[in-house]
Amino acid sequence: MTDAPSLETELERARDLSVSDLADAIESIGFECTRCGACCKGHEREDGAETEPHTATVFPDEVRDLQAADDAPESASDYDWRDVARPMPYGLDDGDDGPTGETFEWALQTDACGDCVFYEEVGERADGTAKGACQVHEDRPLICETYPFSVALGGTSQPMGEAVDEAGMVRAHECEGLGRDISRAEAEELASALKTRAIRELEEAIGVRDNYAPTDADGVVVYDSEGPKRPDGTPVSDDA
């Protein structure tokens, strides 16, 4: 059996990716955002029991960028970590006093409906369905900027389940905008962001691994590349 490539090996592969080749792949698949909002909203579970909240990964520095975003719906002075991000729920348990356990990523914060807190509906599309918009579009995280695509490298994330199409190193995930014409300039811009995201995901994964130090802190602990944190983004070591 062949051992899986190390994160460092995958990081070097990510750094060597050709933006032109990625753009070729994106062009061959095709994409145009239809502003349906599906990638920003919660989703019904297959059993129909309840809504699955939106879970888009956000890096620690992206959280800080969103706190200070010029187009954020509140001023940076009023906008704390928990307004932007929440612990990724995977791996957490429901305790008597709320969630407990360890997780290794941050997810964009959601509202009471399970939608991204930055998502808003701004009118109707031609088919009568709601038109979606991002309140922090210019400062949106890389995973949002590059949706519905990901790169087929170990250590990188796949948004919203398995790929429905692929070309070369590029995977495409469920989205009604797939298969539509895209200009070369737009494909190259998307490809550049996709390469950046792949590099950042692997750097974050390496940082999480290298900075992991078990803690016996109660409640929820998020281990990111900067070390263990509380749900409000403060380091566990700062606990009184």
Side-chain angles (χ1 to χ4, degrees), residues 24-42:
D24 287 344
I26 291 170
E27 273 192 301
S28 72
I29 295 171
F31 172 69
E32 179 186 20
C33 179
T34 65
R35 300 186 68 176
C36 68
C39 60
C40 305
K41 300 170 68 176

Side-chain angles (χ1 to χ4, degrees), residues 68-89:
D70 291 337
D71 50 354
E74 299 181 42
S75 67
S77 61
D78 297 328
Y79 223 59
D80 71 21
W81 187 280
R82 288 167 295 187
D83 292 319
V84 175
R86 64 191 177 99
M88 188 66 78

Side-chain angles (χ1 to χ4, degrees), residues 20-136:
S20 179
D21 289 347
L22 294 177
D24 287 344
I26 291 170
E27 273 192 301
S28 72
I29 295 171
F31 172 69
E32 179 186 20
C33 179
T34 65
R35 300 186 68 176
C36 68
C39 60
C40 305
K41 300 170 68 176
H43 295 269
E44 294 294 328
R45 293 184 176 177
E46 291 184 2
D47 59 11
E50 57 186 53
T51 298
E52 183 76 30
H54 176 263
T55 49
T57 303
V58 60
F59 301 126
D61 62 306
E62 290 180 323
V63 177
R64 290 187 286 268
D65 288 345
L66 285 169
Q67 285 181 270
D70 291 337
D71 50 354
E74 299 181 42
S75 67
S77 61
D78 297 328
Y79 223 59
D80 71 21
W81 187 280
R82 288 167 295 187
D83 292 319
V84 175
R86 64 191 177 99
M88 188 66 78
Y90 308 128
L92 300 182
D93 298 316
D94 292 325
D96 293 337
D97 298 318
T100 184
E102 299 179 347
T103 187
F104 297 87
E105 290 180 302
W106 296 97
L108 284 172
Q109 186 57 274
T110 55
D111 62 19
C113 297
D115 301 342
C116 175
V117 72
F118 297 113
Y119 173 76
E120 62 179 348
E121 294 183 348
V122 294
E124 290 187 352
R125 301 190 297 164
D127 63 1
T129 57
K131 178 187 290 185
C134 175
Q135 298 178 71
V136 289

